[in-house]
Amino acid sequence: MVKKSPFAPIPIPSCNVLSFLFPPDSPLHSSTKPIWIDAADPSVHLSTGAALGWIKRLGSGLENLRDPTTGDQVVKRGEVVLIFSPNQIFVPVAYLGIVGSGRIFSGINPAYSVNEAVYQMNNTEAKVILVHPSLLETAVAAATEAGIPTERLFQFSETEVATRKGVRDWRALLASPEASRNYRWLELSETESANTVATINYSSGTTGLPKGQYGPEGPLQHRWIGFLPLYHAYGQMMTILHAVRNQVPIYLMKKFVFEDYLRVIQDYKITYLHVAPPVMVMLSKRPETAKYDLSSVVEISCGAAPLSRELQNEVAKKYGVSVKQGWGMTEVTTGAIHVPGGVDDKTGSVGVLDPNCECKLLDDNGNEVPEGEPGELYVRSPNVSIRYWKNEAATRETMLPDGWLRSGDIAICRGDWFWIVDRKKASKKRPLLPVNYQTNARSQELIKVNALQVAPAELEAALLENDDIADAAVVGLKMNDEEFPRAYVVLKESAKQRKNPLTPEQIQEWIKPRVAKHKWLTGGVALIDEVPKLPSGKIVRKVMKEWAARDAARLQGISRAKL
């Protein structure tokens, strides 16, 4: 039986995102209330009124950017502008200016190496890149390899900077305040609204952000902290769209440092936290929490990966707050199931279906499962993405013709409530479309590190570039509610015979400059004689998981023995 949301359907706006956020009669056009605030220096901030001026200047600037040789428009509507930046107050401006002008926003993880940045530049066919000055060397090297001219890169930060490596400040791209004053963004018909691409996102979650409306109620004025990366759909939804719509001040952190995070909560009396499970582990276990007053927090929303009921309730009890979970994917624009406001769930449930959403749970043969039995979660709703970017095969397999999305997650249902119990191995997918053009696999093989996905095949390919390594398999090592990439490596015979053969520690160091930090082999390296494989040559992932579980138990035992 198809499950329906217990909530009444709500109307879905069919318009440009700027028309939705800034309707003609809205006070947000001239509001001076700070919304995006630099957590390190709160004197650096933007209101929606100030941001709208920048948004118009960027939209007009993109519209009028011309190739100096041919005079052709550099970035047309429906083409990509890449953002390569840590969190900062102008990323929301870039997002809304790009999307509102009919272009496509895509954010690069600021931890990416040159090779990883090149892939995203090529895959999106980016026309313009806004890069933070701290990442300029990586961006220039990647753009050179991707064949993107230097004049299409712009340094992107809160303060104006001098030209470096031939890259100008992004203000050179913008229209003047006078010229942009009469700028009008593109209005969309209902059909255009449903089919226009807004973002290409390269990461997604297993249990995602609840989509409930969060805003001031009664005397409580909410304040949020924005450490979630703005190249990720979770961060975009909360830090940009919800913050504007609900006029919630959000203190942006350029990078996550736990003690800085605690200080921001204390100093600015943050009321509502949006986190992933690793932060919950820190809040539960780390001794630094005792040094800070976190009493302003009233609720924590946890998504992006599964959270155990035990950890949920431990944090709730420790801080006297309500902890709510939700389920989502980038494919459903971050959320389709959440625990409703006013409900204090202690069972580990991800909640009930959002308005306009429906789902069904099917077994491996496509049959519906009885209530209380596990089945793969299929979702249908207006917020399901259009398709995967440049991968029609994955689109056909996952985005079914009748509108159903195969999630790859295993859930059980009792009444209106859902619990995620496992992930199902799915075929490899790549890039996806919106409202939201997404790009990534959802597979049991994927490793979740701080809410980011790590593909074992990528690390295996990188390891095989080492001249001393004959074969390798990578798997997630799960310890203390966190997951760490662990490699099982076979050395070449010639390497084994050397006086000083390659050590596990050397392999861990060797991989670091070749991949982003969240892909480092923090779960360790084990030297083995042979990687277990099927006759087809595929790695037997089930065996690798068993090895990782065995090693996790051993490592935890060693840790306890030391204590």
Side-chain angles (χ1 to χ4, degrees):
M1 181 180 68
V2 173
K3 288 280 187 180
K4 305 280 187 178
S5 172
F7 302 110
I10 58 176
I12 305 296
S14 298
C15 61
N16 188 309
V17 65
L18 293 178
S19 299
F20 173 69
L21 295 175
F22 299 97
D25 57 348
S26 172
L28 300 188
H29 285 263
S30 56
S31 173
T32 58
K33 176 184 177 180
I35 294 299
W36 297 295
I37 306 162
D38 188 327
D41 181 2
S43 68
V44 178
H45 57 75
L46 280 174
S47 64
T48 54
L52 190 56
W54 289 96
I55 290 165
K56 289 181 175 182
R57 292 179 66 190
L58 178 57
S60 180
L62 291 171
E63 196 69 35
N64 293 295
L65 184 63
R66 302 286 167 175
D67 185 283
T69 303
T70 66
D72 294 338
Q73 190 176 30
V74 169
V75 54
K76 300 179 179 66
R77 291 172 181 174
E79 293 183 328
V80 173
V81 179
L82 277 181
I83 306 299
F84 193 15
S85 174
N87 285 4
Q88 47 127 328
I89 65 169
F90 278 105
V91 176
V93 165
Y95 181 93
L96 295 173
I98 292 164
V99 173
S101 71
R103 277 100 190 150
I104 302 170
F105 174 98
S106 187
I108 302 180
N109 184 336
Y112 269 8
S113 66
V114 171
N115 288 341
E116 291 164 321
V118 168
Y119 171 80
Q120 192 163 337
M121 290 177 185
N122 284 333
N123 187 251
T124 59
E125 302 177 10
K127 305 301 181 185
V128 172
I129 301 170
L130 302 184
V131 54
H132 193 269
S134 64
L135 302 169
L136 188 60
E137 290 194 9
T138 300
V140 169
T144 300
E145 191 170 333
I148 300 173
T150 301
E151 62 265 22
R152 297 190 183 183
L153 276 66
F154 297 88
Q155 295 188 71
F156 176 61
S157 67
E158 302 98 322
T159 56
E160 191 164 359
V161 296
T163 298
R164 186 158 62 95
K165 293 184 176 294
V167 179
R168 296 169 290 166
D169 186 88
W170 75 298
R171 290 159 182 81
L173 164 65
L174 306 179
S176 69
E178 294 75 20
S180 64
R181 191 164 290 126
N182 295 321
Y183 171 76
R184 295 291 179 267
W185 51 77
L186 180 70
E187 294 297 346
L188 302 176
S189 68
E190 184 173 348
T191 300
E192 289 171 331
S193 175
N195 293 283
T196 296
V197 179
T199 62
I200 302 177
N201 286 323
Y202 282 75
S203 58
S204 65
T206 295
T207 54
L209 176 70
K211 283 194 68 176
Q213 297 297 311
Y214 307 114
E217 289 188 24
L220 178 62
Q221 298 295 309
H222 282 297
R223 288 171 296 278
W224 296 348
I225 182 169
F227 78 94
L228 297 168
L230 293 177
Y231 60 81
H232 192 291
Y234 194 166
Q236 292 160 12
M237 180 66 74
M238 299 313 302
T239 302
I240 301 174
L241 302 178
H242 273 300
V244 172
R245 188 68 176 175
N246 296 310
Q247 284 290 280
V248 180
I250 185 161
Y251 291 80
L252 289 169
M253 296 181 67
K254 283 188 168 60
K255 65 178 181 178
F256 181 81
V257 176
F258 186 57
E259 195 151 356
D260 290 346
Y261 179 72
L262 298 175
R263 177 188 56 77
V264 171
I265 295 172
Q266 171 186 269
D267 291 355
Y268 303 122
K269 294 181 169 44
I270 303 300
T271 60
Y272 198 110
L273 304 181
H274 307 98
V275 303
V279 177
M280 294 289 284
V281 173
M282 295 179 192
L283 289 170
S284 170
K285 308 295 183 187
R286 293 274 286 267
E288 300 98 311
T289 59
K291 295 159 47 179
Y292 295 88
D293 178 4
L294 308 183
S295 61
S296 60
V297 177
V298 296
E299 189 163 304
I300 300 174
S301 172
C302 187
L307 175 71
S308 71
R309 177 181 62 184
E310 291 76 17
L311 181 56
Q312 172 186 337
N313 292 333
E314 183 179 337
V315 171
K317 182 178 180 181
K318 180 176 180 179
Y319 297 101
V321 301
S322 173
V323 176
K324 289 183 167 63
Q325 296 198 54
W327 175 88
M329 308 162 62
T330 305
E331 287 89 331
V332 294
T333 323
T334 74
I337 302 174
H338 77 275
V339 174
V343 177
D344 188 17
D345 175 74
K346 298 184 183 301
T347 69
S349 172
V350 292
V352 303
L353 284 163
D354 288 341
N356 303 82
C357 296
E358 56 184 354
C359 77
K360 56 186 177 181
L361 303 181
L362 303 182
D363 63 21
D364 289 341
N365 297 317
N367 300 315
E368 293 185 10
V369 300
E371 180 158 323
E373 294 296 319
E376 183 178 1
L377 181 64
Y378 285 64
V379 176
R380 185 164 61 185
S381 66
N383 51 305
V384 169
S385 296
I386 299 169
R387 60 185 180 272
Y388 285 91
W389 178 255
K390 296 185 179 180
N391 194 331
E392 292 304 319
T395 298
R396 286 193 299 273
E397 181 181 345
T398 308
M399 315 285 181
L400 305 184
D402 55 359
W404 288 104
L405 169 75
R406 297 182 60 187
S407 74
D409 288 331
I410 305 299
I412 61 173
C413 176
R414 297 189 181 98
D416 290 328
W417 290 76
F418 293 84
W419 290 259
I420 302 298
V421 295
D422 202 356
R423 281 186 290 176
K424 180 178 181 179
K425 181 176 178 179
S427 63
K428 294 176 182 175
K429 312 179 213 150
R430 273 277 197 244
L432 196 146
L433 284 172
V435 198
N436 212 326
Y437 233 149
Q438 189 263 3
T439 123
N440 246 330
R442 290 180 59 79
S443 166
Q444 196 175 25
E445 297 173 6
L446 292 172
I447 304 164
K448 300 287 289 190
V449 179
N450 293 335
L452 299 174
Q453 292 183 342
V454 177
E458 179 185 357
L459 285 175
E460 289 156 1
L463 287 166
L464 292 177
E465 292 177 5
N466 187 302
D467 291 337
D468 288 342
I469 293 177
D471 205 355
V474 175
V475 67
L477 183 85
K478 297 181 180 179
M479 293 176 59
N480 300 322
D481 293 302
E482 294 185 81
E483 199 167 15
F484 307 88
R486 180 173 178 81
Y488 293 86
V489 171
V490 180
L491 296 180
K492 292 179 180 177
E493 287 302 318
S494 58
K496 293 178 183 177
Q497 300 306 318
R498 283 210 307 265
K499 183 177 180 181
N500 296 307
L502 196 63
T503 67
E505 293 76 15
Q506 289 172 328
I507 295 171
Q508 284 179 286
E509 291 301 314
W510 181 88
I511 199 74
K512 286 182 178 179
R514 292 164 172 80
V515 297
K517 187 175 181 180
H518 67 278
K519 300 176 185 177
W520 291 359
L521 297 172
T522 51
V525 174
L527 300 179
I528 59 174
D529 295 327
E530 184 180 10
V531 172
K533 294 186 178 181
L534 297 170
S536 63
K538 292 183 178 180
I539 296 171
V540 185
R541 300 286 180 186
K542 181 180 179 181
V543 172
M544 304 314 304
K545 289 189 174 187
E546 290 171 353
W547 288 6
R550 174 201 64 198
D551 291 350
R554 178 177 58 82
L555 292 169
Q556 286 178 311
I558 293 172
S559 177
R560 283 194 292 269
K562 287 181 179 179
L563 292 174

